[in-house]
Amino acid sequence: MARMMKAAIFVEPGRIVLDDKPIPDVGPLDALMRVTTTTICGTDVHILRGEYPVARGLTIGHEPVGVIEKLGSAVTGYSEGQRVIAGAITPSGWSNACLCGTCSQDGAGTRHGWKAMGGWKFGNTIDGCQAEYLLVPDAMANLAPVPDTLGDEQVLMCPDIMSTGFSGAENGGIRIGDTVAVFAQGPIGLCATAGARLSGAGLVIGVDRLPDRLAMARRMGADHVVDSGRLDAVAEIMRLTEGRGVDVAIEALGTQSTFEAALRVLRPGGTLSSLGVYSADLTIPVGAFAAGLGDHRIVTSLCPGGKERMRRLMSVVESGRVDLHAMVTHRFKLDDIERAYELFAHQRDGVLKVAITP
Amino acid sequence: MARMMKAAIFVEPGRIVLDDKPIPDVGPLDALMRVTTTTICGTDVHILRGEYPVARGLTIGHEPVGVIEKLGSAVTGYSEGQRVIAGAITPSGWSNACLCGTCSQDGAGTRHGWKAMGGWKFGNTIDGCQAEYLLVPDAMANLAPVPDTLGDEQVLMCPDIMSTGFSGAENGGIRIGDTVAVFAQGPIGLCATAGARLSGAGLVIGVDRLPDRLAMARRMGADHVVDSGRLDAVAEIMRLTEGRGVDVAIEALGTQSTFEAALRVLRPGGTLSSLGVYSADLTIPVGAFAAGLGDHRIVTSLCPGGKERMRRLMSVVESGRVDLHAMVTHRFKLDDIERAYELFAHQRDGVLKVAITP
Amino acid sequence: MARMMKAAIFVEPGRIVLDDKPIPDVGPLDALMRVTTTTICGTDVHILRGEYPVARGLTIGHEPVGVIEKLGSAVTGYSEGQRVIAGAITPSGWSNACLCGTCSQDGAGTRHGWKAMGGWKFGNTIDGCQAEYLLVPDAMANLAPVPDTLGDEQVLMCPDIMSTGFSGAENGGIRIGDTVAVFAQGPIGLCATAGARLSGAGLVIGVDRLPDRLAMARRMGADHVVDSGRLDAVAEIMRLTEGRGVDVAIEALGTQSTFEAALRVLRPGGTLSSLGVYSADLTIPVGAFAAGLGDHRIVTSLCPGGKERMRRLMSVVESGRVDLHAMVTHRFKLDDIERAYELFAHQRDGVLKVAITP
Amino acid sequence: MARMMKAAIFVEPGRIVLDDKPIPDVGPLDALMRVTTTTICGTDVHILRGEYPVARGLTIGHEPVGVIEKLGSAVTGYSEGQRVIAGAITPSGWSNACLCGTCSQDGAGTRHGWKAMGGWKFGNTIDGCQAEYLLVPDAMANLAPVPDTLGDEQVLMCPDIMSTGFSGAENGGIRIGDTVAVFAQGPIGLCATAGARLSGAGLVIGVDRLPDRLAMARRMGADHVVDSGRLDAVAEIMRLTEGRGVDVAIEALGTQSTFEAALRVLRPGGTLSSLGVYSADLTIPVGAFAAGLGDHRIVTSLCPGGKERMRRLMSVVESGRVDLHAMVTHRFKLDDIERAYELFAHQRDGVLKVAITP
């Protein structure tokens, strides 16, 4: 009989509950990870609310830190007991999308090899990591050993928000001396702020409505912060840049108003790097878009995954370049995950990220 | 007293007339070109209709082929009598925008050095070339000698539509073996089709409603053409690509429906390269945009200008890579330019491009 | 008892012989291909001569066309009997090198995940395809179905020389209107010539000493050819470019003299794209290198592999963009492969590529 | 009669002397700058020694900070008395090279528009800035206003060593999480170290023989320093990277040994970004080069110039990202410049950079 474990399961819109589930079997290319720390993502809240549909009974969560419990028969190069993380996105490595450099759109198993968002499997199309154990597919492409010098919470941001936020800076093509505005300073936006600073931006401007987040934005590298609850963010950014506008604007919320503001502050020839998950059609204002003649670029990113990405992000943490650890504001046992969702979903008590330990 | 010349002048919405105007004085950095051939652009029709506002009394036209009549006192490296073209976009070379690699957004003379569409001067912010003479600013950055082997009509497409259409392919980042769809096969779209073919696309699909244009699309390099008047272009492109979609979609009309169709046929991770001039806000459908998580890119281009761009385009013509000359369907004297506008604005008689000779 | 097959085996420097060998067993991630057509590469001749060391007893060859005979237990998405090719380079997809976009330096199984030339396995570190059967590792990353419309010889160049030659053009960053010189017009150089033309070069100059090869260079897309046996190639290219030099120079032989000539014809800011396999240290002449201040780039490429690369190359063939088929000058049965080596190694009878059919 | 000024003039190998010279006349596109601070570059020492030839009587120096004394008749957008800098490289903006994005190879006035190192004019092909006054050509492309918040010494590194050193990081294509080694920690190497750190490198290793320079390397952002006088730098870097090697190696000295070491520590697929000025042919060891099959890249850079580059660099200083000011170890009056050369040429007294004030 299968051994059982605790897992946070989507039951129906409004209900994610902790329940028993069999510990999964390990296929030849898989690895079973014993989860030691995980967290809740804004996307999980969308799932909780039924705004992003997943199958009933699915285990939620895509940000795992843990220990290898068991390796598939064809997996080499790892040992059981090793501390590892896996990215939120787990590319196969062998799909056409992966071989073409677009791993997050991994279409392994589909006819053509591309699938929109196909690399996002944990807590979306397969069981996730808000559980005692996690089955990692294509383990050799995805398991990244954690350096001994780093604790669980120090690498907890690597699987998703650090990778996502940094990709906003990377895809924006930030050059040394660029001016960058980051719209919204939730966990992703804060990481985008840190990533912009790390990429050589000469001036980083963080925008949000919450004083705690603006304070954290400064800590993550913003030179200026704009309280969009009190000021017109577009006007304020144009003032701060003396009318020049920004070279790169990063959208990190997923709303029309932030998307539009990001476009309005761009200089001609600038890039809008979008990270948000949009839930409705977007409008591009023709004026801000210079009728299509402004040499503007709008680029989108889904969190880069895979073991090499994780290795690089951990090396950045290890070198002390960023301290995202400060974003862990609350800690819960897995047994209390329902309370953690309650707190996180309502953004109570200044919560940024929670650490969940099974 | 100033010598006079004939010029096509914008009087008011609905009226562009041929009238007398003084031949301009030549400043130190300018050159005076005697125009030998020019043409009418779709943008000029927008100006005629009052859809794109310009000053009353402005000479229209931005596609000049001619002969150097007089050089400014500080201009070196050219000789009077030399055959030259200048791009539709005439960058100064010395603005911050130019020095940063975004010449078309040239803000020479502005506070920060960037100006949306600022490189487009002829027939927009200064007098254009539908006239006997044309004053070319920043002559050393913009005059490109025409090889003896090439006739006027062979280089007539270089200043605007060839440069614009090709930039749609270039900015799309086409790689060898890509599948590319080009939406609309007017002059710009036809050049984008030729540019996609020239850039190594493995499969080029041209879309339009007019049989003549679809026939020309084949001639310019389309492997398949789709008559969007008879078929659902999105469905047909998905059929032709066996469900994969395209790597790069080029929009060459400037409407919501072509923009949206271009997005709908993109594979995850694909690029929408937009060339159209939009006259209203655009909507991005959230589904086709994969909620912002599809690693899509939307890039826009304004016609690259400057003498080096012109030199390269002429070298492509000289090597026989493309024969855009075939797009000149009608010829008029400058004296008959009002009739030419009449024909071109109503797209009568299968007109693609007209050649106007003063 | 193992079933046996014929295979061309490296015995010792100077001797590659056809001998019996067991048909290999199929591991979970492998596929067994029945080879229907293969060929001999210049590299194989280096192996034959002992200039490139491989293990005694190894089956040679890395350019397979065939039919799937048997699939590993974990391989999905293919069916036995399907016509396929695999690239000369067979990336795992899951090494750090692959996940970082440098698949040819695949270090699957090594400590850090990178290994110089590690993606080249067939006929180098594992048995190759000059045999009746071939074991393909990481089959899901490497098997590319052949379209029904294409015959074996039409896709025979895809695994190596087309992929390698084209990568010379791609890595050179050729832009529309560039002038490109290709040094040496052997099979790789001819493919580089075709690739340069396909990438939008405005002028392509092919250099070689053999009239047959120069004739083939013209057929593959060279605008000019230079007989370096009769003329000083550097001087002639400077003459053809009127002193400007070339934007991109492709080296496709692997000698000091071609490498140096490629550097000498580069304009300031140009790129030397190197494809050759060098057998001795190279010298960079300080003058041609502008003392290191010329903004020159020297880039090298190892043949890109993987099923997506193969798919794209076959789509280019299918669209009729290139006809590399013309390079197959001789045909042999596998039983006669020793004679084929004899002909090919001595470049007798105008041989370019041979087709070998088991 | 012409007004006279003091200037440091090259007389013959071994002799640069301070002498009187006429203050230059100002042409229409020029500006006359009154120099307030300048410095001596390693290149100037090469000139002094006759290793880099310049015309006798030329004023040396290419790193100017000053005040606009007089503007040419065609120069707009500036005012006399304004504090400005100009880059060591002064692109025209209008040559083919500039319009093609390779400003440092500016061939303004040449037949084709490219000239190796052509952008370097000050103290090379025209009079330089170790003088009371400096004539700046193409002033509108080159004069960059200095923010009021920054003192002369804070921007003194922008014209050359900061721009050059940073370009080593930029051209290396450093990505977040890369490991970077910088060979030699003279002024250029120190700036490359700072630039690598600023570009997101996860680990930066500085190499030199002088303890002072290694200490400064740490201050500029190196995580590790390697004393190449005591240790085998290649072996030590391989140890520090646990055998992986580096993603990008920056050469900042201009010798065979540093060039070769940079190549030897590169991982397959890595980039050697070369900044040094070489005085002899270079050898590429075939093994370290993986016989040309390692997907290595060797890129070279000449200091980017132009007012937009200067603006960006000053914005980085203004934001406190780097403090290169610490590199000014000694200060001299222009009257004492011969003593300054003496000290700097012999690298006495731990000198890194000197500030010279007329």
Side-chain angles (χ1 to χ4, degrees):
Chain A
M1 221 187 85
R3 285 169 57 215
M4 303 299 281
M5 66 174 184
K6 294 281 180 199
I9 292 166
F10 174 75
V11 179
E12 62 186 6
R15 286 188 63 207
I16 288 176
V17 302
L18 194 71
D19 205 347
D20 285 338
K21 223 175 176 172
I23 294 176
D25 290 336
V26 180
L29 291 174
D30 301 331
L32 185 68
M33 186 195 293
R34 178 167 58 78
V35 178
T36 54
T37 307
T38 186
T39 181
I40 301 175
C41 180
T43 312
D44 298 335
V45 175
H46 286 295
I47 291 173
L48 170 64
R49 292 181 179 148
E51 293 160 3
Y52 184 94
V54 301
R56 297 186 176 213
L58 190 82
T59 304
I60 304 307
H62 51 261
E63 296 161 280
V65 182
V67 169
I68 296 175
E69 180 80 11
K70 191 171 190 323
L71 292 165
S73 57
V75 178
T76 58
Y78 298 91
S79 55
E80 290 171 10
Q82 204 173 4
R83 283 180 73 219
V84 291
I85 59 171
I89 303 299
T90 48
S92 64
W94 51 262
S95 67
N96 296 73
C98 290
L99 292 163
C100 199
T102 50
C103 281
S104 297
Q105 312 297 325
D106 182 21
T110 65
R111 182 174 175 200
H112 294 302
W114 265 277
K115 185 183 163 194
M117 292 178 272
W120 177 28
K121 299 165 192 171
F122 288 145
N124 181 25
T125 57
I126 65 174
D127 275 337
C129 63
Q130 291 169 5
E132 289 177 285
Y133 293 94
L134 171 73
L135 194 69
V136 179
D138 297 300
M140 289 189 292
N142 288 297
L143 291 179
V146 178
D148 291 341
T149 51
L150 298 179
D152 276 24
E153 289 189 6
Q154 286 177 287
V155 300
L156 181 58
M157 306 304 145
C158 296
D160 186 351
I161 65 168
M162 185 182 180
S163 188
T164 299
F166 279 26
S167 76
E170 294 164 316
N171 272 4
I174 293 175
R175 297 194 285 185
I176 289 181
D178 269 352
T179 296
V180 179
V182 183
F183 286 86
Q185 297 292 318
I188 297 284
L190 288 166
C191 289
T193 296
R197 176 77 177 241
L198 200 62
S199 301
L203 195 75
V204 180
I205 304 169
V207 181
D208 206 295
R209 295 166 169 271
L210 300 179
D212 285 3
R213 297 193 165 195
L214 292 175
M216 186 62 82
R218 281 197 179 279
R219 191 163 161 187
M220 290 298 149
D223 297 279
H224 295 287
V225 294
V226 175
D227 180 344
S228 56
R230 294 195 314 111
L231 293 168
D232 174 337
V234 171
E236 182 63 9
I237 291 168
M238 295 314 284
R239 192 187 67 78
L240 286 167
T241 61
E242 301 178 319
R244 176 183 288 113
V246 305
D247 299 288
V248 179
I250 302 179
E251 199 288 339
L253 186 61
T255 67
Q256 173 65 29
S257 67
T258 43
F259 176 83
E260 192 171 324
L263 195 62
R264 289 191 189 283
V265 299
L266 272 190
R267 68 156 168 82
T271 298
L272 192 173
S273 180
S274 169
L275 295 174
V277 185
Y278 301 95
S279 50
D281 290 355
L282 282 170
T283 298
I284 299 177
V286 68
F289 202 48
L293 300 179
D295 285 320
H296 294 119
R297 308 171 72 82
I298 298 172
V299 302
T300 67
S301 316
L302 176 57
C303 177
K307 70 181 175 188
E308 169 65 7
R309 174 69 169 181
M310 293 303 113
R311 180 188 73 76
R312 287 171 159 266
L313 295 180
M314 288 188 288
S315 85
V316 167
V317 174
E318 203 178 8
S319 296
R321 295 291 192 274
V322 291
D323 181 11
L324 304 177
H325 188 190
M327 292 169 59
V328 179
T329 53
H330 295 74
R331 290 165 184 84
F332 292 87
K333 290 282 168 196
L334 178 61
D335 288 338
D336 294 325
I337 195 167
E338 295 175 31
R339 277 207 304 125
Y341 265 101
E342 169 71 16
L343 175 94
F344 188 75
H346 296 91
Q347 294 189 13
R348 294 222 174 95
D349 196 21
V351 65
L352 275 169
K353 289 293 275 187
V354 300
I356 310 281
T357 47
Chain B
M1 219 187 86
R3 286 171 56 217
M4 303 300 281
M5 67 174 183
K6 294 281 181 197
I9 292 166
F10 174 74
V11 178
E12 61 185 8
R15 287 187 63 206
I16 287 175
V17 302
L18 195 71
D19 205 347
D20 285 339
K21 223 174 175 172
I23 295 176
D25 290 335
V26 181
L29 292 174
D30 301 332
L32 184 69
M33 186 195 292
R34 178 167 57 78
V35 178
T36 54
T37 307
T38 186
T39 180
I40 301 175
C41 179
T43 311
D44 298 335
V45 174
H46 286 295
I47 291 172
L48 170 64
R49 291 181 180 150
E51 294 161 3
Y52 184 94
V54 300
R56 296 185 177 214
L58 190 81
T59 304
I60 305 306
H62 50 262
E63 297 162 279
V65 182
V67 169
I68 295 174
E69 181 79 12
K70 190 169 192 320
L71 292 166
S73 56
V75 178
T76 57
Y78 298 92
S79 55
E80 290 171 11
Q82 203 172 5
R83 283 181 72 218
V84 289
I85 61 171
I89 303 300
T90 46
S92 64
W94 52 263
S95 67
N96 296 72
C98 290
L99 291 164
C100 199
T102 50
C103 281
S104 297
Q105 312 298 324
D106 182 20
T110 66
R111 181 173 174 202
H112 294 301
W114 264 276
K115 184 181 163 195
M117 293 177 271
W120 177 28
K121 298 166 192 171
F122 288 145
N124 181 26
T125 57
I126 64 174
D127 275 336
C129 63
Q130 291 168 7
E132 289 177 286
Y133 294 93
L134 171 74
L135 193 70
V136 180
D138 296 301
M140 290 189 291
N142 289 296
L143 291 180
V146 178
D148 291 342
T149 53
L150 298 179
D152 276 22
E153 290 190 4
Q154 286 177 287
V155 300
L156 181 57
M157 306 304 145
C158 296
D160 185 352
I161 66 168
M162 184 183 182
S163 188
T164 299
F166 279 26
S167 76
E170 294 163 317
N171 273 3
I174 293 175
R175 297 194 285 184
I176 290 182
D178 269 352
T179 295
V180 179
V182 183
F183 287 85
Q185 298 292 319
I188 297 282
L190 287 165
C191 288
T193 296
R197 176 76 176 241
L198 198 63
S199 301
L203 195 76
V204 179
I205 304 169
V207 181
D208 206 296
R209 295 165 170 272
L210 301 179
D212 285 3
R213 297 193 163 193
L214 292 174
M216 186 62 82
R218 281 197 179 280
R219 191 163 162 188
M220 290 297 149
D223 298 279
H224 295 286
V225 295
V226 175
D227 180 342
S228 56
R230 292 196 314 111
L231 292 169
D232 174 339
V234 171
E236 183 63 8
I237 290 168
M238 294 315 284
R239 192 187 68 78
L240 285 167
T241 60
E242 300 177 320
R244 176 183 288 113
V246 305
D247 299 289
V248 179
I250 302 179
E251 199 286 341
L253 187 60
T255 67
Q256 173 65 29
S257 68
T258 44
F259 176 82
E260 192 171 323
L263 194 63
R264 290 191 188 283
V265 300
L266 271 190
R267 68 156 168 83
T271 298
L272 191 174
S273 179
S274 170
L275 296 174
V277 185
Y278 301 96
S279 51
D281 290 354
L282 282 170
T283 298
I284 300 177
V286 68
F289 201 48
L293 301 179
D295 285 321
H296 294 118
R297 306 171 73 82
I298 299 172
V299 302
T300 67
S301 316
L302 175 58
C303 177
K307 70 181 174 187
E308 169 66 6
R309 174 70 170 181
M310 293 303 113
R311 180 189 73 76
R312 288 172 158 264
L313 295 180
M314 288 189 288
S315 86
V316 167
V317 174
E318 202 178 9
S319 296
R321 296 291 192 273
V322 292
D323 182 11
L324 303 176
H325 188 189
M327 292 168 58
V328 179
T329 52
H330 295 73
R331 290 165 184 83
F332 292 87
K333 291 283 168 195
L334 178 60
D335 288 338
D336 294 324
I337 195 167
E338 295 175 31
R339 276 207 306 125
Y341 264 100
E342 168 71 15
L343 175 95
F344 188 75
H346 296 91
Q347 294 190 13
R348 295 222 174 95
D349 197 19
V351 65
L352 276 170
K353 288 293 276 186
V354 300
I356 310 281
T357 47
Chain C
M1 218 187 88
R3 288 169 55 214
M4 302 300 282
M5 66 174 185
K6 294 279 180 200
I9 290 167
F10 175 75
V11 178
E12 60 185 9
R15 286 189 62 209
I16 287 175
V17 302
L18 195 69
D19 205 347
D20 286 337
K21 222 175 176 172
I23 296 176
D25 291 335
V26 181
L29 291 175
D30 301 333
L32 185 69
M33 187 195 294
R34 178 166 59 78
V35 178
T36 55
T37 306
T38 185
T39 180
I40 301 174
C41 180
T43 312
D44 299 334
V45 175
H46 287 295
I47 291 172
L48 170 64
R49 292 182 179 149
E51 294 161 1
Y52 184 95
V54 301
R56 297 187 176 213
L58 191 81
T59 305
I60 305 306
H62 51 261
E63 297 162 280
V65 183
V67 170
I68 296 174
E69 181 79 10
K70 192 169 188 320
L71 292 166
S73 58
V75 178
T76 57
Y78 298 92
S79 54
E80 292 171 8
Q82 204 173 4
R83 284 181 71 219
V84 290
I85 61 172
I89 303 300
T90 47
S92 64
W94 53 262
S95 68
N96 295 74
C98 290
L99 291 164
C100 200
T102 51
C103 281
S104 296
Q105 311 297 326
D106 182 21
T110 66
R111 180 172 175 203
H112 294 302
W114 265 275
K115 185 182 164 194
M117 293 177 272
W120 177 28
K121 299 164 190 173
F122 289 144
N124 181 25
T125 57
I126 65 174
D127 275 338
C129 63
Q130 291 169 6
E132 289 177 287
Y133 294 93
L134 171 72
L135 193 68
V136 180
D138 297 300
M140 290 188 291
N142 288 297
L143 292 180
V146 178
D148 292 340
T149 51
L150 298 178
D152 275 24
E153 289 189 5
Q154 287 177 287
V155 299
L156 181 58
M157 306 305 146
C158 296
D160 185 351
I161 65 168
M162 184 183 181
S163 188
T164 299
F166 279 26
S167 76
E170 294 164 316
N171 272 4
I174 293 174
R175 296 194 286 185
I176 290 182
D178 269 353
T179 295
V180 179
V182 183
F183 287 85
Q185 298 292 319
I188 297 282
L190 287 165
C191 288
T193 296
R197 176 75 177 242
L198 199 62
S199 301
L203 195 77
V204 180
I205 304 168
V207 181
D208 206 295
R209 295 166 169 273
L210 301 179
D212 285 1
R213 297 193 165 196
L214 292 174
M216 186 61 81
R218 281 195 178 279
R219 192 164 160 186
M220 290 297 149
D223 298 279
H224 296 286
V225 295
V226 175
D227 181 342
S228 55
R230 295 197 309 115
L231 292 168
D232 174 337
V234 170
E236 182 63 8
I237 290 169
M238 294 315 282
R239 192 188 67 78
L240 285 167
T241 61
E242 299 177 320
R244 176 184 287 115
V246 305
D247 300 288
V248 179
I250 302 179
E251 199 287 340
L253 187 60
T255 67
Q256 173 65 29
S257 68
T258 44
F259 176 83
E260 193 170 325
L263 195 62
R264 290 191 188 283
V265 300
L266 271 191
R267 68 155 168 84
T271 298
L272 191 173
S273 178
S274 169
L275 296 174
V277 184
Y278 301 96
S279 51
D281 290 355
L282 282 170
T283 298
I284 300 177
V286 68
F289 201 47
L293 301 179
D295 286 321
H296 293 119
R297 308 171 71 81
I298 299 172
V299 302
T300 67
S301 316
L302 175 58
C303 177
K307 70 180 174 188
E308 169 66 6
R309 175 69 170 182
M310 293 303 114
R311 180 188 74 76
R312 287 171 159 265
L313 296 179
M314 289 189 287
S315 85
V316 167
V317 174
E318 203 178 9
S319 298
R321 294 293 190 275
V322 291
D323 181 12
L324 304 177
H325 189 190
M327 292 168 59
V328 178
T329 52
H330 295 73
R331 289 165 185 82
F332 291 87
K333 290 282 166 196
L334 179 61
D335 288 338
D336 295 325
I337 194 166
E338 295 174 31
R339 278 208 300 125
Y341 266 100
E342 169 71 15
L343 175 95
F344 188 76
H346 296 91
Q347 294 190 14
R348 295 222 174 95
D349 196 19
V351 63
L352 275 169
K353 288 293 275 186
V354 300
I356 310 280
T357 47
Chain D
M1 219 187 87
R3 288 169 56 213
M4 302 300 280
M5 64 174 184
K6 295 279 180 200
I9 291 167
F10 175 75
V11 178
E12 61 185 8
R15 285 189 64 208
I16 287 176
V17 303
L18 194 70
D19 205 349
D20 285 338
K21 221 174 178 173
I23 295 175
D25 291 335
V26 182
L29 291 175
D30 302 332
L32 184 69
M33 186 195 294
R34 178 166 58 78
V35 178
T36 55
T37 307
T38 185
T39 180
I40 301 174
C41 179
T43 312
D44 298 335
V45 174
H46 286 295
I47 292 172
L48 170 65
R49 292 182 179 147
E51 294 161 3
Y52 185 94
V54 301
R56 296 185 178 215
L58 191 79
T59 305
I60 305 306
H62 51 262
E63 298 163 280
V65 183
V67 169
I68 296 175
E69 180 80 9
K70 193 170 187 321
L71 293 166
S73 57
V75 178
T76 58
Y78 298 92
S79 54
E80 292 171 7
Q82 203 171 6
R83 285 181 70 219
V84 290
I85 60 172
I89 303 301
T90 46
S92 65
W94 52 263
S95 68
N96 295 73
C98 290
L99 291 164
C100 200
T102 51
C103 281
S104 296
Q105 312 297 325
D106 182 21
T110 66
R111 181 173 174 202
H112 294 302
W114 264 276
K115 183 182 165 195
M117 294 178 271
W120 177 28
K121 299 165 192 173
F122 288 145
N124 181 26
T125 57
I126 64 174
D127 275 336
C129 62
Q130 291 169 6
E132 290 178 285
Y133 293 93
L134 171 72
L135 194 68
V136 180
D138 297 300
M140 289 189 290
N142 288 297
L143 292 180
V146 178
D148 292 340
T149 52
L150 297 179
D152 274 24
E153 289 190 5
Q154 286 177 288
V155 300
L156 182 58
M157 306 304 145
C158 297
D160 185 351
I161 65 168
M162 184 182 181
S163 189
T164 299
F166 279 26
S167 77
E170 293 164 317
N171 272 5
I174 293 175
R175 296 193 287 184
I176 289 181
D178 269 354
T179 295
V180 179
V182 182
F183 287 84
Q185 297 292 318
I188 297 283
L190 287 165
C191 288
T193 296
R197 175 77 175 241
L198 199 63
S199 300
L203 197 75
V204 179
I205 303 169
V207 182
D208 206 294
R209 294 165 170 273
L210 300 179
D212 286 1
R213 296 194 165 195
L214 292 174
M216 186 62 82
R218 281 196 178 279
R219 191 164 161 188
M220 289 298 150
D223 299 280
H224 296 286
V225 295
V226 175
D227 180 344
S228 57
R230 294 195 312 115
L231 292 169
D232 174 337
V234 171
E236 182 63 9
I237 290 168
M238 294 315 281
R239 192 187 67 78
L240 286 168
T241 61
E242 300 178 319
R244 176 184 287 115
V246 305
D247 300 288
V248 178
I250 302 179
E251 200 287 339
L253 187 61
T255 68
Q256 173 64 30
S257 68
T258 44
F259 177 82
E260 192 170 323
L263 195 63
R264 290 191 187 283
V265 300
L266 271 190
R267 68 156 169 83
T271 298
L272 192 174
S273 180
S274 169
L275 296 174
V277 185
Y278 302 95
S279 50
D281 290 355
L282 282 170
T283 298
I284 299 177
V286 68
F289 203 47
L293 301 179
D295 285 321
H296 293 119
R297 308 171 72 80
I298 299 172
V299 302
T300 66
S301 315
L302 175 57
C303 178
K307 69 180 174 188
E308 169 65 7
R309 175 68 170 182
M310 293 302 114
R311 181 188 72 77
R312 287 171 158 266
L313 296 179
M314 288 190 286
S315 85
V316 167
V317 174
E318 203 178 9
S319 297
R321 295 294 191 273
V322 292
D323 182 11
L324 304 176
H325 188 191
M327 293 169 59
V328 178
T329 53
H330 295 72
R331 288 165 185 82
F332 291 86
K333 290 282 167 198
L334 178 60
D335 287 338
D336 294 324
I337 195 166
E338 295 175 31
R339 277 208 303 125
Y341 265 100
E342 169 70 16
L343 174 94
F344 188 76
H346 296 91
Q347 294 190 14
R348 296 222 174 96
D349 195 20
V351 65
L352 276 169
K353 287 293 274 188
V354 300
I356 309 281
T357 47

